[in-house]
Amino acid sequence: MALSCLSSVATFSLFFEGHCDYAHIVSRINLELQREEPSCPHGGVKELQLLLGISNNNEAAAKSHVREACSTAFNTQYQMMWKEVTQKATLRNEPLFDKTYYDGGSIWNEQYETGVDNRVPYVNQRYANVLKYDGSRIDDVYEAYAREQKIEYADAVVDNFADCPLRAAMCCFTADRQANDNNGNCAKPYDTNCINSDPADNTE
C-alpha cells in the first residue's frame, strides 16, 4: 500500500495565486514534494489522494473533496460590509453619499483639483480637491481588501443595485479628474487643463 510522502512533515501550508481548485492544489503539492520529499515515488495527484485518505486512485473523489473545501473556505471568508467601503455613512454622517456617487454626483465625480477655489483666505499653491487625499479610501480598500477578500454587494446600501440576479455592475465614467494617469486628457495645471476633460477608458 502506498504511503503519503508528506505525512512525515510536521506541518506544511499551501499558498497559491488564482482560484482555489483541484488543479492549483495539485500543482502546489507537486512543488511541496520537490522541496520536502524529492525522492517521493509519486506525484501530486496520488499524494493528495493519500493525504485525504482516498483509496483506489479515485481522482473524482479527490476533486469533489477539494471543490467542497474551497467552497467552504470561500463562504466562511471575512466579508467587508459595503457601508465600510467609503465609510461616508459610518464616519462622515453622509448616508446618501454612495447612492449619489453611483448616480454620477458627489465630490468624487464632480470636483477636480484646483488652486483657486480652495479656502478663505486664498493661499497660493495650496490646492483643494486633491484626489489622492479625497479618494484615499479607494486605494486603501483596493490594497487591503478588494484584491484578496470579499466585499458585500452594493445593494446593501445603494438601491440602484437591488434585484440584480447577476450580482454584477459596470461603471461608466463621463469625466477625467486626475492628471498624469494615462487615462484621459486631464492635465496640469488643473484649473486650465482639466475642465470638462474626458477619460480614455470610461468603463470598469
PDB file of all heavy atoms in Angstrom, residues 169-200:
ATOM      1  N   ALA A 169     -21.920  44.642 -11.884  1.00  0.00           N
ATOM      2  CA  ALA A 169     -22.204  46.027 -12.254  1.00  0.00           C
ATOM      3  C   ALA A 169     -21.066  46.576 -13.098  1.00  0.00           C
ATOM      4  O   ALA A 169     -19.928  46.116 -13.002  1.00  0.00           O
ATOM      5  CB  ALA A 169     -22.384  46.882 -11.006  1.00  0.00           C
ATOM      6  N   MET A 170     -21.377  47.549 -13.944  1.00  0.00           N
ATOM      7  CA  MET A 170     -20.361  48.226 -14.732  1.00  0.00           C
ATOM      8  C   MET A 170     -20.501  49.724 -14.516  1.00  0.00           C
ATOM      9  O   MET A 170     -21.605  50.265 -14.592  1.00  0.00           O
ATOM     10  CB  MET A 170     -20.504  47.904 -16.218  1.00  0.00           C
ATOM     11  CG  MET A 170     -19.452  48.585 -17.083  1.00  0.00           C
ATOM     12  SD  MET A 170     -19.554  48.134 -18.838  1.00  0.00           S
ATOM     13  CE  MET A 170     -21.058  48.991 -19.317  1.00  0.00           C
ATOM     14  N   CYS A 171     -19.409  50.389 -14.231  1.00  0.00           N
ATOM     15  CA  CYS A 171     -19.423  51.833 -14.021  1.00  0.00           C
ATOM     16  C   CYS A 171     -18.983  52.529 -15.302  1.00  0.00           C
ATOM     17  O   CYS A 171     -18.033  52.103 -15.957  1.00  0.00           O
ATOM     18  CB  CYS A 171     -18.480  52.224 -12.889  1.00  0.00           C
ATOM     19  SG  CYS A 171     -18.947  51.551 -11.275  1.00  0.00           S
ATOM     20  N   CYS A 172     -19.661  53.602 -15.663  1.00  0.00           N
ATOM     21  CA  CYS A 172     -19.307  54.405 -16.828  1.00  0.00           C
ATOM     22  C   CYS A 172     -18.937  55.805 -16.355  1.00  0.00           C
ATOM     23  O   CYS A 172     -19.784  56.517 -15.805  1.00  0.00           O
ATOM     24  CB  CYS A 172     -20.478  54.477 -17.802  1.00  0.00           C
ATOM     25  SG  CYS A 172     -20.952  52.878 -18.487  1.00  0.00           S
ATOM     26  N   PHE A 173     -17.700  56.188 -16.552  1.00  0.00           N
ATOM     27  CA  PHE A 173     -17.224  57.490 -16.102  1.00  0.00           C
ATOM     28  C   PHE A 173     -17.314  58.488 -17.251  1.00  0.00           C
ATOM     29  O   PHE A 173     -16.901  58.209 -18.378  1.00  0.00           O
ATOM     30  CB  PHE A 173     -15.785  57.383 -15.607  1.00  0.00           C
ATOM     31  CG  PHE A 173     -15.629  56.482 -14.424  1.00  0.00           C
ATOM     32  CD1 PHE A 173     -15.257  55.154 -14.586  1.00  0.00           C
ATOM     33  CD2 PHE A 173     -15.879  56.945 -13.145  1.00  0.00           C
ATOM     34  CE1 PHE A 173     -15.135  54.312 -13.490  1.00  0.00           C
ATOM     35  CE2 PHE A 173     -15.762  56.114 -12.054  1.00  0.00           C
ATOM     36  CZ  PHE A 173     -15.382  54.787 -12.223  1.00  0.00           C
ATOM     37  N   THR A 174     -17.848  59.668 -16.966  1.00  0.00           N
ATOM     38  CA  THR A 174     -18.074  60.669 -18.004  1.00  0.00           C
ATOM     39  C   THR A 174     -17.043  61.787 -17.981  1.00  0.00           C
ATOM     40  O   THR A 174     -17.062  62.654 -18.856  1.00  0.00           O
ATOM     41  CB  THR A 174     -19.467  61.286 -17.850  1.00  0.00           C
ATOM     42  OG1 THR A 174     -19.577  61.904 -16.553  1.00  0.00           O
ATOM     43  CG2 THR A 174     -20.539  60.215 -17.978  1.00  0.00           C
ATOM     44  N   ALA A 175     -16.144  61.793 -17.018  1.00  0.00           N
ATOM     45  CA  ALA A 175     -15.133  62.847 -16.936  1.00  0.00           C
ATOM     46  C   ALA A 175     -13.845  62.295 -16.352  1.00  0.00           C
ATOM     47  O   ALA A 175     -13.844  61.296 -15.634  1.00  0.00           O
ATOM     48  CB  ALA A 175     -15.651  64.010 -16.092  1.00  0.00           C
ATOM     49  N   ASP A 176     -12.753  62.952 -16.698  1.00  0.00           N
ATOM     50  CA  ASP A 176     -11.441  62.601 -16.158  1.00  0.00           C
ATOM     51  C   ASP A 176     -11.032  63.705 -15.192  1.00  0.00           C
ATOM     52  O   ASP A 176     -11.062  64.884 -15.548  1.00  0.00           O
ATOM     53  CB  ASP A 176     -10.421  62.485 -17.303  1.00  0.00           C
ATOM     54  CG  ASP A 176      -9.029  62.137 -16.800  1.00  0.00           C
ATOM     55  OD1 ASP A 176      -8.927  61.541 -15.710  1.00  0.00           O
ATOM     56  OD2 ASP A 176      -8.049  62.456 -17.493  1.00  0.00           O
ATOM     57  N   ARG A 177     -10.677  63.342 -13.984  1.00  0.00           N
ATOM     58  CA  ARG A 177     -10.335  64.370 -12.998  1.00  0.00           C
ATOM     59  C   ARG A 177      -8.938  64.206 -12.426  1.00  0.00           C
ATOM     60  O   ARG A 177      -8.589  64.871 -11.466  1.00  0.00           O
ATOM     61  CB  ARG A 177     -11.353  64.382 -11.851  1.00  0.00           C
ATOM     62  CG  ARG A 177     -11.495  63.092 -11.083  1.00  0.00           C
ATOM     63  CD  ARG A 177     -12.152  63.316  -9.722  1.00  0.00           C
ATOM     64  NE  ARG A 177     -11.290  64.058  -8.831  1.00  0.00           N
ATOM     65  CZ  ARG A 177     -11.600  64.342  -7.556  1.00  0.00           C
ATOM     66  NH1 ARG A 177     -12.758  63.985  -7.073  1.00  0.00           N
ATOM     67  NH2 ARG A 177     -10.761  65.006  -6.796  1.00  0.00           N
ATOM     68  N   GLN A 178      -8.129  63.336 -13.002  1.00  0.00           N
ATOM     69  CA  GLN A 178      -6.769  63.138 -12.497  1.00  0.00           C
ATOM     70  C   GLN A 178      -5.766  63.212 -13.632  1.00  0.00           C
ATOM     71  O   GLN A 178      -5.879  62.495 -14.629  1.00  0.00           O
ATOM     72  CB  GLN A 178      -6.654  61.787 -11.784  1.00  0.00           C
ATOM     73  CG  GLN A 178      -5.265  61.534 -11.217  1.00  0.00           C
ATOM     74  CD  GLN A 178      -5.235  60.335 -10.296  1.00  0.00           C
ATOM     75  OE1 GLN A 178      -6.117  60.147  -9.473  1.00  0.00           O
ATOM     76  NE2 GLN A 178      -4.215  59.525 -10.432  1.00  0.00           N
ATOM     77  N   ALA A 179      -4.764  64.048 -13.480  1.00  0.00           N
ATOM     78  CA  ALA A 179      -3.736  64.215 -14.494  1.00  0.00           C
ATOM     79  C   ALA A 179      -2.653  63.146 -14.364  1.00  0.00           C
ATOM     80  O   ALA A 179      -2.475  62.545 -13.304  1.00  0.00           O
ATOM     81  CB  ALA A 179      -3.104  65.597 -14.371  1.00  0.00           C
ATOM     82  N   ASN A 180      -1.965  62.911 -15.469  1.00  0.00           N
ATOM     83  CA  ASN A 180      -0.770  62.048 -15.493  1.00  0.00           C
ATOM     84  C   ASN A 180      -1.040  60.606 -15.072  1.00  0.00           C
ATOM     85  O   ASN A 180      -0.185  59.962 -14.465  1.00  0.00           O
ATOM     86  CB  ASN A 180       0.337  62.635 -14.603  1.00  0.00           C
ATOM     87  CG  ASN A 180       0.716  64.047 -15.005  1.00  0.00           C
ATOM     88  OD1 ASN A 180       0.687  64.379 -16.184  1.00  0.00           O
ATOM     89  ND2 ASN A 180       1.055  64.880 -14.030  1.00  0.00           N
ATOM     90  N   ASP A 181      -2.222  60.103 -15.371  1.00  0.00           N
ATOM     91  CA  ASP A 181      -2.507  58.694 -15.052  1.00  0.00           C
ATOM     92  C   ASP A 181      -2.718  57.857 -16.318  1.00  0.00           C
ATOM     93  O   ASP A 181      -3.179  56.722 -16.238  1.00  0.00           O
ATOM     94  CB  ASP A 181      -3.719  58.579 -14.132  1.00  0.00           C
ATOM     95  CG  ASP A 181      -5.002  59.081 -14.791  1.00  0.00           C
ATOM     96  OD1 ASP A 181      -4.927  59.636 -15.911  1.00  0.00           O
ATOM     97  OD2 ASP A 181      -6.080  58.927 -14.187  1.00  0.00           O
ATOM     98  N   ASN A 182      -2.401  58.434 -17.479  1.00  0.00           N
ATOM     99  CA  ASN A 182      -2.513  57.721 -18.753  1.00  0.00           C
ATOM    100  C   ASN A 182      -3.917  57.222 -19.040  1.00  0.00           C
ATOM    101  O   ASN A 182      -4.109  56.181 -19.662  1.00  0.00           O
ATOM    102  CB  ASN A 182      -1.526  56.542 -18.806  1.00  0.00           C
ATOM    103  CG  ASN A 182      -0.083  56.992 -18.733  1.00  0.00           C
ATOM    104  OD1 ASN A 182       0.299  57.961 -19.398  1.00  0.00           O
ATOM    105  ND2 ASN A 182       0.714  56.309 -17.922  1.00  0.00           N
ATOM    106  N   ASN A 183      -4.902  57.959 -18.552  1.00  0.00           N
ATOM    107  CA  ASN A 183      -6.287  57.545 -18.792  1.00  0.00           C
ATOM    108  C   ASN A 183      -7.180  58.770 -18.937  1.00  0.00           C
ATOM    109  O   ASN A 183      -8.025  59.041 -18.093  1.00  0.00           O
ATOM    110  CB  ASN A 183      -6.788  56.645 -17.664  1.00  0.00           C
ATOM    111  CG  ASN A 183      -8.145  56.030 -17.987  1.00  0.00           C
ATOM    112  OD1 ASN A 183      -8.530  55.927 -19.143  1.00  0.00           O
ATOM    113  ND2 ASN A 183      -8.883  55.644 -16.959  1.00  0.00           N
ATOM    114  N   GLY A 184      -6.950  59.524 -19.991  1.00  0.00           N
ATOM    115  CA  GLY A 184      -7.780  60.699 -20.223  1.00  0.00           C
ATOM    116  C   GLY A 184      -6.949  61.916 -20.547  1.00  0.00           C
ATOM    117  O   GLY A 184      -5.717  61.881 -20.531  1.00  0.00           O
ATOM    118  N   ASN A 185      -7.647  63.040 -20.835  1.00  0.00           N
ATOM    119  CA  ASN A 185      -6.933  64.250 -21.241  1.00  0.00           C
ATOM    120  C   ASN A 185      -6.853  65.317 -20.166  1.00  0.00           C
ATOM    121  O   ASN A 185      -6.526  66.462 -20.452  1.00  0.00           O
ATOM    122  CB  ASN A 185      -7.562  64.830 -22.515  1.00  0.00           C
ATOM    123  CG  ASN A 185      -9.040  65.155 -22.341  1.00  0.00           C
ATOM    124  OD1 ASN A 185      -9.589  65.076 -21.245  1.00  0.00           O
ATOM    125  ND2 ASN A 185      -9.690  65.521 -23.440  1.00  0.00           N
ATOM    126  N   CYS A 186      -7.149  64.954 -18.926  1.00  0.00           N
ATOM    127  CA  CYS A 186      -6.932  65.891 -17.825  1.00  0.00           C
ATOM    128  C   CYS A 186      -5.429  66.076 -17.642  1.00  0.00           C
ATOM    129  O   CYS A 186      -4.666  65.115 -17.607  1.00  0.00           O
ATOM    130  CB  CYS A 186      -7.552  65.345 -16.540  1.00  0.00           C
ATOM    131  SG  CYS A 186      -7.203  66.330 -15.071  1.00  0.00           S
ATOM    132  N   ALA A 187      -4.987  67.329 -17.538  1.00  0.00           N
ATOM    133  CA  ALA A 187      -3.561  67.623 -17.393  1.00  0.00           C
ATOM    134  C   ALA A 187      -3.366  68.814 -16.459  1.00  0.00           C
ATOM    135  O   ALA A 187      -4.299  69.575 -16.187  1.00  0.00           O
ATOM    136  CB  ALA A 187      -2.937  67.917 -18.761  1.00  0.00           C
ATOM    137  N   LYS A 188      -2.152  68.953 -15.975  1.00  0.00           N
ATOM    138  CA  LYS A 188      -1.816  70.099 -15.136  1.00  0.00           C
ATOM    139  C   LYS A 188      -1.450  71.283 -16.017  1.00  0.00           C
ATOM    140  O   LYS A 188      -0.931  71.096 -17.115  1.00  0.00           O
ATOM    141  CB  LYS A 188      -0.644  69.738 -14.212  1.00  0.00           C
ATOM    142  CG  LYS A 188      -0.983  68.665 -13.195  1.00  0.00           C
ATOM    143  CD  LYS A 188       0.211  68.386 -12.286  1.00  0.00           C
ATOM    144  CE  LYS A 188      -0.147  67.337 -11.231  1.00  0.00           C
ATOM    145  NZ  LYS A 188       0.991  67.075 -10.332  1.00  0.00           N
ATOM    146  N   PRO A 189      -1.694  72.516 -15.561  1.00  0.00           N
ATOM    147  CA  PRO A 189      -2.405  72.878 -14.332  1.00  0.00           C
ATOM    148  C   PRO A 189      -3.904  72.591 -14.443  1.00  0.00           C
ATOM    149  O   PRO A 189      -4.516  72.809 -15.489  1.00  0.00           O
ATOM    150  CB  PRO A 189      -2.133  74.373 -14.195  1.00  0.00           C
ATOM    151  CG  PRO A 189      -1.890  74.840 -15.590  1.00  0.00           C
ATOM    152  CD  PRO A 189      -1.221  73.706 -16.289  1.00  0.00           C
ATOM    153  N   TYR A 190      -4.460  72.119 -13.366  1.00  0.00           N
ATOM    154  CA  TYR A 190      -5.832  71.644 -13.368  1.00  0.00           C
ATOM    155  C   TYR A 190      -6.838  72.726 -13.736  1.00  0.00           C
ATOM    156  O   TYR A 190      -7.824  72.461 -14.419  1.00  0.00           O
ATOM    157  CB  TYR A 190      -6.190  71.071 -11.990  1.00  0.00           C
ATOM    158  CG  TYR A 190      -5.658  69.678 -11.738  1.00  0.00           C
ATOM    159  CD1 TYR A 190      -4.394  69.484 -11.192  1.00  0.00           C
ATOM    160  CD2 TYR A 190      -6.423  68.561 -12.032  1.00  0.00           C
ATOM    161  CE1 TYR A 190      -3.910  68.200 -10.948  1.00  0.00           C
ATOM    162  CE2 TYR A 190      -5.961  67.279 -11.793  1.00  0.00           C
ATOM    163  CZ  TYR A 190      -4.698  67.098 -11.255  1.00  0.00           C
ATOM    164  OH  TYR A 190      -4.218  65.839 -11.021  1.00  0.00           O
ATOM    165  N   ASP A 191      -6.595  73.938 -13.251  1.00  0.00           N
ATOM    166  CA  ASP A 191      -7.597  74.989 -13.451  1.00  0.00           C
ATOM    167  C   ASP A 191      -7.737  75.419 -14.903  1.00  0.00           C
ATOM    168  O   ASP A 191      -8.714  76.081 -15.256  1.00  0.00           O
ATOM    169  CB  ASP A 191      -7.261  76.204 -12.574  1.00  0.00           C
ATOM    170  CG  ASP A 191      -7.525  75.928 -11.101  1.00  0.00           C
ATOM    171  OD1 ASP A 191      -8.638  75.486 -10.782  1.00  0.00           O
ATOM    172  OD2 ASP A 191      -6.613  76.130 -10.275  1.00  0.00           O
ATOM    173  N   THR A 192      -6.808  75.038 -15.754  1.00  0.00           N
ATOM    174  CA  THR A 192      -6.916  75.369 -17.172  1.00  0.00           C
ATOM    175  C   THR A 192      -6.990  74.136 -18.062  1.00  0.00           C
ATOM    176  O   THR A 192      -7.577  74.176 -19.139  1.00  0.00           O
ATOM    177  CB  THR A 192      -5.720  76.236 -17.628  1.00  0.00           C
ATOM    178  OG1 THR A 192      -4.506  75.543 -17.332  1.00  0.00           O
ATOM    179  CG2 THR A 192      -5.735  77.584 -16.925  1.00  0.00           C
ATOM    180  N   ASN A 193      -6.407  73.010 -17.619  1.00  0.00           N
ATOM    181  CA  ASN A 193      -6.303  71.825 -18.477  1.00  0.00           C
ATOM    182  C   ASN A 193      -7.086  70.613 -17.992  1.00  0.00           C
ATOM    183  O   ASN A 193      -6.896  69.516 -18.505  1.00  0.00           O
ATOM    184  CB  ASN A 193      -4.837  71.435 -18.658  1.00  0.00           C
ATOM    185  CG  ASN A 193      -4.046  72.485 -19.412  1.00  0.00           C
ATOM    186  OD1 ASN A 193      -4.588  73.169 -20.270  1.00  0.00           O
ATOM    187  ND2 ASN A 193      -2.774  72.619 -19.090  1.00  0.00           N
ATOM    188  N   CYS A 194      -7.938  70.812 -17.000  1.00  0.00           N
ATOM    189  CA  CYS A 194      -8.712  69.664 -16.505  1.00  0.00           C
ATOM    190  C   CYS A 194     -10.174  70.025 -16.311  1.00  0.00           C
ATOM    191  O   CYS A 194     -10.856  69.483 -15.457  1.00  0.00           O
ATOM    192  CB  CYS A 194      -8.110  69.138 -15.203  1.00  0.00           C
ATOM    193  SG  CYS A 194      -8.698  67.480 -14.748  1.00  0.00           S
ATOM    194  N   ILE A 195     -10.647  70.957 -17.115  1.00  0.00           N
ATOM    195  CA  ILE A 195     -12.056  71.350 -17.048  1.00  0.00           C
ATOM    196  C   ILE A 195     -12.814  70.634 -18.165  1.00  0.00           C
ATOM    197  O   ILE A 195     -12.431  70.720 -19.326  1.00  0.00           O
ATOM    198  CB  ILE A 195     -12.205  72.879 -17.194  1.00  0.00           C
ATOM    199  CG1 ILE A 195     -11.441  73.588 -16.056  1.00  0.00           C
ATOM    200  CG2 ILE A 195     -13.686  73.270 -17.165  1.00  0.00           C
ATOM    201  CD1 ILE A 195     -11.433  75.087 -16.185  1.00  0.00           C
ATOM    202  N   ASN A 196     -13.832  69.901 -17.811  1.00  0.00           N
ATOM    203  CA  ASN A 196     -14.609  69.143 -18.800  1.00  0.00           C
ATOM    204  C   ASN A 196     -13.733  68.160 -19.577  1.00  0.00           C
ATOM    205  O   ASN A 196     -13.914  67.975 -20.783  1.00  0.00           O
ATOM    206  CB  ASN A 196     -15.336  70.085 -19.763  1.00  0.00           C
ATOM    207  CG  ASN A 196     -16.349  70.967 -19.059  1.00  0.00           C
ATOM    208  OD1 ASN A 196     -17.013  70.523 -18.120  1.00  0.00           O
ATOM    209  ND2 ASN A 196     -16.456  72.211 -19.504  1.00  0.00           N
ATOM    210  N   SER A 197     -12.779  67.544 -18.928  1.00  0.00           N
ATOM    211  CA  SER A 197     -11.896  66.599 -19.591  1.00  0.00           C
ATOM    212  C   SER A 197     -12.569  65.236 -19.691  1.00  0.00           C
ATOM    213  O   SER A 197     -13.473  64.904 -18.944  1.00  0.00           O
ATOM    214  CB  SER A 197     -10.574  66.476 -18.831  1.00  0.00           C
ATOM    215  OG  SER A 197     -10.806  66.204 -17.474  1.00  0.00           O
ATOM    216  N   ASP A 198     -12.083  64.440 -20.637  1.00  0.00           N
ATOM    217  CA  ASP A 198     -12.707  63.151 -20.930  1.00  0.00           C
ATOM    218  C   ASP A 198     -11.768  61.992 -20.590  1.00  0.00           C
ATOM    219  O   ASP A 198     -10.559  62.062 -20.832  1.00  0.00           O
ATOM    220  CB  ASP A 198     -13.081  63.063 -22.406  1.00  0.00           C
ATOM    221  CG  ASP A 198     -14.054  64.133 -22.818  1.00  0.00           C
ATOM    222  OD1 ASP A 198     -15.043  64.337 -22.071  1.00  0.00           O
ATOM    223  OD2 ASP A 198     -13.844  64.772 -23.871  1.00  0.00           O
ATOM    224  N   PRO A 199     -12.326  60.910 -20.064  1.00  0.00           N
ATOM    225  CA  PRO A 199     -11.494  59.726 -19.795  1.00  0.00           C
ATOM    226  C   PRO A 199     -11.177  58.970 -21.083  1.00  0.00           C
ATOM    227  O   PRO A 199     -11.936  59.057 -22.056  1.00  0.00           O
ATOM    228  CB  PRO A 199     -12.369  58.893 -18.856  1.00  0.00           C
ATOM    229  CG  PRO A 199     -13.762  59.255 -19.245  1.00  0.00           C
ATOM    230  CD  PRO A 199     -13.710  60.707 -19.647  1.00  0.00           C
ATOM    231  N   ALA A 200     -10.076  58.261 -21.093  1.00  0.00           N
ATOM    232  CA  ALA A 200      -9.737  57.442 -22.255  1.00  0.00           C
ATOM    233  C   ALA A 200     -10.546  56.149 -22.248  1.00  0.00           C
ATOM    234  O   ALA A 200     -11.127  55.736 -23.234  1.00  0.00           O
ATOM    235  CB  ALA A 200      -8.241  57.130 -22.261  1.00  0.00           C
TER     236      ALA A 200
END
